[in-house]
Amino acid sequence: MLKRVDIVGNPNVGVFILATDDLAIVPYTLLDEKAEIIKETLEVDVVKSSISGSSLIGSLAVANSNGIVVSPHVLDREIEQFEKLGLNVATLPGQYTAVGNIIAANDTGAIVSPFLDSEAIQVVEETLDVNVESTSMVGSDIIGSLITVTNKGFLISSRAVKSEINFAQEVFGVEGDIGTVGKGIPLVGACTISNSNGAIVAKDSTGPEMARVEEALGFLDDDF
């Protein structure tokens, strides 16, 4: 299912919410009616939580079906909650806290910012059980903000060139395409929540943007 809806009061839905094929982690402050929209659209269980005491869950963590990598400032009670959900939890070593902004991953691969060192890359590899590649894209290091990726496809910033699209396809093992959401916003990772079942994009997204999201994420063959 594909929806454009105001979830958090601004276009940056991916900054606040983290989704896998199994669950969505949302802020405690999210209204129940909004949580229900996420549940129905992505076909997941919705869990209210925080990371490092913050509601910026999508910025402070990255996850797939195998595990979750979180900010080094995560609280013990948050780790315990995630572990009770059956998640393999690890903190990203080093000084970088905005894990979700600098890493994009599905169940096959991950692309990380080049300033992550070998120790951090190893943590991502082992926790998410994926092959990890390190690079900048479209002249930027905020990989997680530039890409929204699932096990069916990916949407990358409209500024990406063909070689970058091909590189992402090799890493993630799925096809994808460039695009924008929210009337021209290229930070599609920050402004989209997606998994293999559906996606939620910024409310102001246009019809052509929605069509591109649907195609890039592999939903055209689904019965919506």
Side-chain angles (χ1 to χ4, degrees):
M1 185 179 294
L2 184 61
K3 284 190 177 182
R4 51 186 170 196
V5 61
D6 182 359
I7 293 290
V8 294
N10 66 60
N12 300 307
V13 291
V15 170
F16 293 89
I17 295 163
L18 178 65
T20 70
D21 284 354
D22 303 308
L23 61 87
I25 303 174
V26 307
Y28 287 114
T29 55
L30 189 70
L31 296 176
D32 289 343
E33 63 186 70
K34 303 293 187 180
E36 188 64 25
I37 292 172
I38 294 170
K39 178 180 179 180
E40 292 179 355
T41 304
L42 303 185
E43 300 178 19
V44 292
D45 293 327
V46 174
V47 177
K48 290 191 174 184
S49 187
S50 62
I51 294 180
S52 305
S54 170
S55 62
L56 303 178
I57 295 167
S59 285
L60 297 173
V62 63
N64 65 6
S65 297
N66 303 313
I68 181 171
V69 180
V70 297
S71 162
H73 302 301
V74 65
L75 304 178
D76 289 343
R77 62 173 172 80
E78 295 164 344
I79 292 177
E80 292 175 3
Q81 181 186 20
F82 299 150
E83 288 178 340
K84 287 180 180 179
L85 293 172
L87 295 173
N88 182 26
V89 185
T91 58
L92 189 72
Q95 61 179 317
Y96 302 107
T97 61
V99 179
N101 291 353
I102 58 177
I103 302 171
N106 65 359
D107 287 355
T108 300
I111 301 176
V112 306
S113 295
F115 46 67
L116 290 186
D117 61 22
S118 58
E119 181 184 3
I121 290 174
Q122 183 176 0
V123 167
V124 175
E125 287 180 336
E126 293 179 351
T127 307
L128 302 185
D129 192 20
V130 294
N131 176 56
V132 176
E133 297 291 341
S134 174
T135 187
S136 296
M137 302 190 84
V138 301
S140 175
D141 295 328
I142 52 171
I143 303 300
S145 296
L146 298 169
I147 304 172
T148 184
V149 57
T150 75
N151 293 324
K152 294 179 67 174
F154 67 87
L155 182 72
I156 188 172
S157 167
S158 58
R159 299 171 183 169
V161 298
K162 182 64 175 177
S163 61
E164 292 172 326
I165 298 171
N166 291 340
F167 177 77
Q169 288 180 170
E170 291 178 4
V171 175
F172 297 132
V174 292
E175 295 184 358
D177 204 349
I178 62 171
T180 61
V181 294
K183 292 184 178 178
I185 300 173
L187 298 177
V188 294
C191 298
T192 307
I193 317 165
S194 65
N195 67 5
S196 298
N197 303 315
I200 295 173
V201 299
K203 185 179 180 180
D204 291 337
S205 299
T206 65
E209 287 176 327
M210 294 283 284
R212 181 62 65 89
V213 172
E214 186 177 33
E215 181 177 5
L217 294 184
F219 296 148
L220 287 181
D221 294 331
D222 294 341
D223 295 323
F224 282 166

